[in-house]
Amino acid sequence: MQAAESAREDGRPPSRRERFRLATIDEIKEAARAQVAREGPAGLSVRAVARAMHMTPSALYRYFSGLDDLITALCVDAYQSLGDSARAAVEAEDPDDHVARWRAFENGTRRWALAHPGDFALIYGTPLPGYRAPAEVTRPAARRFTDIALHLIAAAVAAGTVDLDRGLIQYEPRLDPGLTAGWRDGDVPHDPRVLANLIGAWTMLQGHLTLELFGHFEWLQTDLDIVFDAHVTATMLAIGFDPRAVAAAPSGAAADSGPRAP
């Protein structure tokens, strides 16, 4: 895999052998995703993936060094897919309509989660026994998603649509300096409450999706699109969005929820 990636970085087209290797890696990951979707992340095994690929386990190890390596690759792909989905939803809205862009972010995230429950469970569900994600590999991929939310909040603050003094989340978080270094740029205010609002909004969004995808709303007879729309509104008010702007904007979840969880 590294050889093929180096070839692309050098501007050379991948060789036939490199193309075959990349195609095989993609096929292995697709078989692994299918297993995760059927049996959950804890059911993933090299032997089962190899069997689905009509390979021996030893042959699969030529592409991934072990189960942890395969899980990490799946996590990176999931984070990137989630980030791409959320970004596409946001970029479809008017750049100056910060209320619509935040709603699009939350609805786009939910749409992705409902369409990819196995991937959601892999990156946000119960940690896999014995697996520890290598932060240097997974953290940059995860930030593709969180950076979108951070910059949405920062842009809304700069435009006056979000007032940090009006928000309910007022603490100042202490975070790993290495994590926040990339956020301290020209378009992210240095007020640590921006990061606190990111944490709060992320927690509320992930909490709702976890309950919805894992079947904990089965007792609720209210349409979950309506529940989620109310959740988005509550989140926006909690992080300091102008209540008048939120009330005046059309709701989005009922029209933009995508497929329902199985």
Side-chain angles (χ1 to χ4, degrees), residues 19 52 66 88 109 124 151-152 202 207 248 250:
R19 291 197 305 271
T109 300
Y124 292 131
H151 286 85
L152 285 175
W202 185 11

Side-chain angles (χ1 to χ4, degrees), residues 5-224:
E5 290 173 350
S6 298
R8 291 196 300 274
E9 290 172 0
D10 293 343
R12 296 184 295 107
S15 67
R16 180 188 178 100
R17 182 176 180 178
E18 291 164 345
R19 291 197 305 271
F20 176 78
R21 179 176 178 80
L22 289 172
T24 303
I25 289 171
D26 286 342
E27 192 175 350
I28 291 170
K29 291 193 292 185
E30 192 59 36
R33 288 190 195 96
Q35 186 179 352
V36 169
R38 287 193 307 270
E39 303 180 25
L44 184 63
S45 72
V46 169
R47 185 174 297 277
V49 173
R51 184 167 55 248
M53 291 284 297
H54 304 289
M55 301 170 64
T56 63
S58 60
L60 193 145
Y61 285 122
R62 293 202 295 266
Y63 300 93
F64 293 94
S65 62
L67 182 60
D68 283 6
D69 189 27
L70 176 56
I71 293 171
T72 297
L74 295 178
C75 288
V76 169
D77 284 356
Y79 282 126
Q80 291 177 338
S81 175
L82 171 58
D84 289 344
S85 179
R87 185 174 299 280
V90 169
E91 291 181 348
E93 300 295 335
D94 181 348
D96 295 323
D97 191 340
H98 301 285
V99 171
R101 285 167 71 83
W102 183 265
R103 284 197 181 277
F105 167 75
E106 294 227 29
N107 286 318
T109 300
R110 179 179 182 237
R111 185 166 55 247
W112 178 87
L114 294 177
H116 303 87
D119 287 333
F120 181 90
L122 185 65
I123 57 178
Y124 292 131
T126 303
L128 294 173
Y131 173 73
R132 186 176 181 85
E136 69 279 6
V137 178
T138 58
R139 181 176 288 177
R143 282 189 52 176
R144 287 168 63 96
F145 172 69
T146 54
D147 278 3
I148 296 170
L150 177 68
H151 286 85
L152 285 175
I153 295 172
V157 170
T161 308
V162 165
D163 183 345
L164 295 175
D165 291 330
R166 179 172 51 218
L168 301 180
I169 302 173
Q170 292 294 325
Y171 75 97
E172 298 187 1
R174 296 177 58 191
L175 302 179
D176 178 357
L179 179 64
T180 60
W183 288 335
R184 301 303 189 182
D185 54 29
D187 59 347
V188 177
H190 285 232
D191 192 322
R193 289 178 298 170
V194 174
L195 295 176
N197 278 288
L198 168 66
I199 295 168
W202 185 11
T203 301
M204 288 183 275
L205 174 59
Q206 185 176 329
H208 176 99
L209 294 178
T210 298
L211 291 172
E212 181 173 1
L213 266 69
F214 297 160
H216 296 293
F217 283 150
E218 290 181 349
W219 52 271
L220 187 61
Q221 295 184 355
T222 305
D223 190 314
L224 290 182

